[in-house]
């Protein structure tokens, strides 16, 4: 853990802190249609024309059932479209390598994966997908699934902040405004920056060159930069290439690496500030921010520590104790890899710049735990915030039980229905992850997919289903998941993980918006400051720890003790 | 049920609209602007030597010749296969990695570079990179290899070492000997002979292209 790592950590944290409020202010211009801003001059005409085309009344709010219906209809029409594009790839344009259509189960897995903001890669980008599939089939979901997440988060915050039947807002209005005002301009600028650093952006067929030593090498080509920009900003994480952001064409240097990591957190951090602003309690927003930041810091320090220590078995073979270099790129180094791994799983991004499968047991435990905590550490765009709101409701409810008072959040009583919805959201995640892992681990097709035997094999399966249900998309990449069983069960996990949270939180918000608001009294539990922060932190950690600890003991924890205290190999 | 019926039309219409906007217009806009502003990078940072493209500065290529610098071990395809990037995904207790690959790589590294049997080798030089296409090696690795390259090519080791150090990227993020050095840049310089004062003139003095890089 060298000085340069600390310097990079300090710079990253400083940039994140500095970016939070400006991003929040930007989001306010996007998510508060009643507020006028300088953006209106450029954006309003385009937005109005779109609303007319859609045939909607942009100002008319929906109730929570309307939200559920429109979110589901929108996501499923996109899903079916992408499924069709992938099946028919062979007949579609922009396919210089002549790739054929995907198998039904791979097409299904990939379509679900992108529609749910997971971006799990059962395929290898450069060896499976045409430019058309990448652009039209997949990159569109990078935008729309991210916008869906932001819109749902906005609806939930509105439902908690205000009272009335239609305060949740209008999904179509949000969707359009998020694209026009936020994602498209931001992604365009970020994509150009990435190209300037060396990320490729062209439509050439793969280039065959004769190298300096006379061998033939095929260089992959394609429209990568436009897709990579939104994959990071939208916390999607589906790479253009097989190895994702470890590929030099996707992430060419230290600067592109740092800004890609920062871009994962940019919108989620801004949303936390916007929530505080919307609740007229910015201290609440900042308290939540600090809780998230503490969890991030703990994760990155643990992962960095174990990766910097390296693998004692490898060091014993006569290599220098410079950390665990298997699966890492020289230009990022140990810290740059540990930071990326932590942030990509704090959020539901799932891009990787090093091979998590080759991490040390406890270095690799960090991304796994991050996902199991529900990805509420800034989290996926939108998804992290509404996930955290579930924990806030649960935390205040628990605190209320302990002191024997009716729990209140923002002046409204937390009642049975609210706690039920919060519990459904949390339990479905745990149920999906653990049951599906158990099924795969105890069947022959499940065991056949693992690349590493012993406890690491279980970690690979656990990681896959954790990642799917948490809509992350990163992997212990050794697992051969491109088989019908894995593809379909992972797709099921992804759908469950997405819908079993979105529907209950929308119901929760809808219910909150109908409650009587009582002014804060002397007995009101304050939702800012250290007491609330610690309560929230412990709620997140305890729920996660109790649920997943047994599985983790059988995987990475056991492997750690075998690595340091035995001479077994697998 | 009304909320489903009423929202069907906007759902389908906006799917079409957004597919066109984000899937076609947006990438075309990025493409156009890239061609205008950064055509070399957008095309893959290709490098030429003697008038032909010999690779990309960002993608490692195999070099078996002892007179050239070697990139890190690669498991992409059969090694450095540009069209199938991959890491090893070997876990920390992987039998093949620890029993076979690692001892073999360590022994080969020592033998080729003339290191004594008890000399520890740089961790990155015997660990497969994440992409299998890592274009860089650490400065430490490059300096060990420079001694060998100088011997094979009969170059002045001191000048070659200086050249290697000046090629190390001065990134704030990497401490001293862990700074990245681009392997293809080093090998191109060797081939062109331009920046290297050699004790013996290279056979093909006419190879010089006048610079290390000649990006189209």
């Amino acid at each position: 853990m060298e000085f340069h790592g600390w310097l990079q950590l300090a710079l990253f944290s400083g940039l994140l802190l500095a970016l939070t409020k400006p991003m929040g202010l930007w989001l306010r211009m996007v998510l508060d249609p009643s507020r006028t801003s300088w953006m209106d001059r450029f954006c309003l005409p385009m937005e109005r024309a779109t609303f007319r085309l859609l045939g909607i009344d942009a100002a008319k709010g929906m109730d929570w059932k309307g939200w559920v219906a429109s979110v589901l209809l929108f996501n499923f029409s996109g899903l079916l479209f992408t499924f069709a594009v992938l099946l028919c790839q062979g007949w579609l344009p922009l396919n210089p390598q002549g790739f054929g259509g995907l198998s039904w189960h791979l097409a299904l897995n990939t379509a679900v994966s992108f529609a749910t903001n997971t971006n799990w890669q059962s395929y290898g980008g450069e060896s499976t997908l045409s430019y058309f599939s990448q652009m039209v089939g997949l990159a569109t979901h990078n935008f729309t699934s991210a916008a869906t997440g932001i819109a749902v988060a906005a609806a939930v915050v509105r439902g908690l902040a205000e009272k009335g039947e239609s305060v949740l807002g209008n999904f179509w209005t949000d969707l359009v405004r998020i694209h026009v005002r936020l994602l498209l301009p931001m992604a365009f600028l970020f994509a150009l920056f990435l190209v300037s650093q060396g990320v490729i952006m062209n439509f050439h067929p793969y280039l065959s060159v004769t190298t300096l030593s006379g061998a033939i090498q095929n260089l992959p080509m394609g429209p990568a930069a436009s897709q990579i920009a939104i994959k990071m900003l939208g916390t999607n994480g589906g790479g253009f290439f097989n190895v994702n952001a470890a590929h030099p064409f996707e992430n060419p240097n230290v600067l592109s690496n740092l800004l890609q990591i920062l871009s994962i957190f940019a919108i989620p951090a801004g949303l936390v500030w916007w929530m505080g602003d919307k609740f007229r309690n910015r201290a609440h927003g900042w308290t939540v921010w600090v809780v998230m930041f503490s969890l991030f810091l703990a994760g990155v320090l643990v992962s960095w520590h174990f990766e910097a220590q390296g693998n004692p078995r490898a060091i014993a073979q006569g290599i220098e104790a410079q950390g665990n270099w298997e699966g890492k790129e020289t230009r990022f180094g140990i810290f740059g890899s540990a930071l990326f791994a932590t942030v990509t799983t704090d959020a539901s991004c799932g891009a990787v710049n090093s091979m998590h499968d080759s991490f040390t047991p406890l270095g690799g435990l960090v991304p796994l735990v991050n996902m199991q905590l529900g990805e509420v550490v800034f989290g996926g765009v939108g998804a992290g915030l509404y996930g955290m709101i579930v924990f806030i409701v649960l935390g205040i409810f628990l605190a209320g039980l302990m002191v024997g008072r009716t729990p209140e959040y923002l002046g409204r009583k937390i009642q049975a229905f609210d706690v039920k919805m919060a519990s459904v959201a949390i339990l479905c995640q745990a149920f999906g992850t653990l049951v599906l892992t158990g099924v795969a681990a105890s069947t022959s097709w499940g065991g056949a997919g693992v690349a590493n035997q012993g406890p690491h094999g279980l970690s690979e399966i656990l990681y896959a289903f954790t990642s799917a249900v948490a809509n992350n998309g990163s992997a212990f990449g050794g697992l051969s998941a491109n088989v019908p069983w894995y593809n379909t069960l992972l797709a099921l996990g992804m759908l469950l993980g997405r819908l079993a949270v979105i529907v209950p939180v929308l119901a929760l918000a809808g219910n909150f918006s109908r409650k009587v608001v009582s002014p804060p009294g002397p007995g009101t539990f304050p939702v800012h400051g250290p007491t609330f922060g610690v309560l929230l932190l412990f709620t997140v950690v305890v729920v996660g720890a109790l649920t997943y600890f047994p599985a983790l003991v059988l995987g990475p924890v056991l492997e750690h003790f075998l690595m340091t205290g035995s001479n077994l190999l697998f | 049920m009304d909320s489903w019926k009423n929202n069907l039309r906007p759902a389908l219409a906006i799917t079409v609209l957004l597919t066109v906007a984000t899937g076609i217009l947006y990438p075309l806009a990025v493409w156009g602007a890239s061609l205008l502003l950064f055509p070399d990078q957008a095309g893959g940072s290709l490098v030429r030597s003697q008038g032909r493209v010999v690779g990309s500065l960002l993608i490692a290529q195999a070099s078996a010749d002892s007179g050239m610098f070697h990139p890190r071990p690669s498991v992409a395809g059969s090694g450095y296969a540009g069209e199938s990037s991959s890491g090893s995904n070997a876990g920390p207790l992987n039998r093949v990695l620890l029993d076979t690959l690692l001892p073999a790589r360590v022994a080969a590294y020592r033998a080729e570079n003339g290191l004594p049997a008890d000399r520890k080798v740089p961790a990155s030089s015997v660990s497969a990179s994440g992409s299998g296409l890592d274009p860089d090696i650490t400065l430490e690795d490059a300096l060990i290899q420079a001694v060998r390259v100088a011997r094979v090519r009969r170059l002045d080791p001191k000048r070659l070492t200086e050249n290697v150090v000046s090629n190390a990227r001065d990134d704030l993020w990497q401490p001293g000997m862990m700074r990245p050095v681009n392997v293809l840049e080093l090998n191109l310089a060797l081939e062109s002979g331009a920046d290297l004062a050699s004790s013996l003139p290279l056979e093909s003095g006419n190879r010089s292209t006048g610079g290390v890089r000649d990006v189209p």
Side-chain angles (χ1 to χ4, degrees), chain A residues 4 53 126 172 201-202 210 213 217 226 242 248 254 311 317 320 322 326-331 358 452 570, chain B residues 7 9 26 42 52 58 60 62 72 85 88-92 94-95 98 121 123 128 131 134 140 172-174:
Chain A
H4 285 76
L53 268 174
E126 68 268 44
W172 308 119
M201 186 71 207
N202 60 57
T210 308
S213 31
Q217 187 180 39
S226 56
N242 184 40
V254 165
N311 180 352
Q317 308 258 11
E320 289 185 52
Q322 292 166 323
E326 186 70 24
K328 293 192 178 61
E329 298 280 295
T330 312
R331 59 196 182 283
S358 296
N452 290 278
F570 295 95
Chain B
N7 283 310
R9 183 189 151 195
Y26 158 74
R52 66 179 176 91
L58 293 175
R72 294 175 56 194
S85 61
S88 72
N89 285 314
N94 189 289
R95 182 176 287 281
L98 291 176
V121 306
S131 60
D134 189 344
E140 181 194 20
L172 174 63
W173 320 113
Q174 310 284 3

Side-chain angles (χ1 to χ4, degrees), chain B residues 7 30-31 36 48 71 82 84 119 131 148 158 163 167 174 190 197 199 213 216:
Chain B
N7 283 310
V30 175
W31 179 57
L36 223 57
R48 284 168 189 275
S84 46
R119 169 77 147 80
S131 60
R148 174 199 80 221
K158 192 155 164 278
N163 190 274
N167 257 297
Q174 310 284 3
L190 286 174
S199 53
R213 236 194 288 183

Side-chain angles (χ1 to χ4, degrees), chain A residues 10 43 73 98 148 156 211 255 292 355 369 374 377 393 401 445 483 536:
Chain A
C43 303
L73 284 170
T148 302
V156 171
T211 64
L255 186 61
M292 291 174 164
M355 296 301 114
V369 167
V377 183
V393 168
L401 287 185
W445 58 264
V483 293
L536 182 58

Side-chain angles (χ1 to χ4, degrees), chain B residues 85-192:
Chain B
S85 61
S86 177
S88 72
N89 285 314
L93 296 181
N94 189 289
R95 182 176 287 281
V96 180
L97 177 69
L98 291 176
D99 267 1
T100 314
L101 292 176
L102 210 48
R105 286 177 190 154
V106 171
Y109 190 85
R110 281 181 185 142
E112 189 182 23
N113 294 300
L115 303 178
D118 57 345
R119 169 77 147 80
K120 288 188 179 299
V121 306
S124 61
S125 69
V126 290
S127 307
S129 65
S131 60
L133 305 171
D134 189 344
D136 303 318
I137 52 179
T138 61
L139 179 55
E140 181 194 20
D141 188 0
L143 290 178
I144 293 173
Q145 294 196 42
V147 177
R148 174 199 80 221
V149 171
R151 193 181 62 234
V152 174
R153 291 194 174 241
R154 289 187 285 166
L155 299 170
D156 176 9
K158 192 155 164 278
R159 288 299 301 269
L160 183 58
T161 302
E162 279 166 13
N163 190 274
V164 167
V165 172
S166 71
N167 257 297
R169 292 207 295 279
D170 195 16
D171 292 339
L172 174 63
W173 320 113
Q174 310 284 3
M177 293 303 270
M178 304 302 277
R179 282 153 63 195
V181 190
N182 188 294
V183 178
L184 188 54
E185 272 183 356
L186 292 180
N187 286 336
L188 280 168
L190 286 174
E191 288 296 295
S192 73

Side-chain angles (χ1 to χ4, degrees), chain A residues 4 65 123 131 191 226 320 418 458 460 491 517 556:
Chain A
H4 285 76
K65 285 174 187 154
Y123 60 90
Y131 301 158
S226 56
E320 289 185 52
D418 310 308
L458 178 67
E460 285 181 349
V517 185

